[in-house]
Amino acid sequence: QVQLVESGGGLVQAGGSLRLSCAASGSIFSINAMGWFRQAPGKEREFVAAITWNGGRTYYADSVKGRFTISRDNAKNTVYLQMNSLKPEDTAVYYCALNKIGGIRINYDYWGRGTQVTVSS
């Protein structure tokens, strides 16, 4: 099994920054990618960003491109999401996820419990 624990959420004013972290433990082998998703109240969960574990290639949703940066530290089995220029519409629960099968926006089998990000206007 894989355990994912997110941290770093909180309340921030519009235009501010937050850095989310996700530490992976357990059966963390053969990782294809790790990603961040978010779910706002009354909305479906959506893809935010992902990074391939071996090559470090990054992918972003259009809504966060240029503002968010995903990175990883393989030695610490940790992935980060640096969020800058935050907007009220970024308010959501952010989930970390791990993918062993393949694909970037799909096939995530392991999920963290989520961390709340609230951006005030």
Side-chain angles (χ1 to χ4, degrees):
Q1 282 293 339
V2 173
Q3 294 79 43
L4 301 173
V5 179
E6 303 101 333
S7 61
L11 172 64
V12 65
Q13 288 189 332
S17 298
L18 282 175
R19 188 194 195 204
L20 305 183
S21 299
C22 174
S25 62
S27 301
I28 46 175
F29 53 87
S30 301
I31 299 174
N32 171 61
M34 289 189 70
W36 289 95
F37 292 73
R38 67 186 182 186
Q39 187 168 18
K43 295 187 177 181
E44 294 187 353
R45 186 161 56 189
E46 64 175 359
F47 170 80
V48 175
I51 186 167
T52 61
W53 203 244
N54 290 326
R57 187 169 181 178
T58 58
Y59 302 82
Y60 297 94
D62 288 343
S63 58
V64 307
K65 203 171 294 184
R67 300 188 298 122
F68 291 10
T69 302
I70 188 170
S71 61
R72 87 243 191 269
D73 184 332
N74 291 36
K76 295 182 179 180
N77 297 318
T78 299
V79 65
Y80 305 95
L81 186 67
Q82 177 66 43
M83 306 185 293
N84 298 329
S85 303
L86 282 161
K87 305 175 181 180
E89 50 264 43
D90 294 318
T91 295
V93 177
Y94 283 70
Y95 297 91
C96 173
L98 186 149
N99 171 326
K100 290 191 176 185
I101 299 174
I104 294 298
R105 289 175 167 78
I106 59 174
N107 297 333
Y108 286 83
D109 289 328
Y110 304 96
W111 295 83
R113 292 187 175 183
T115 185
Q116 177 71 46
V117 171
T118 304
V119 184
S120 63
S121 57

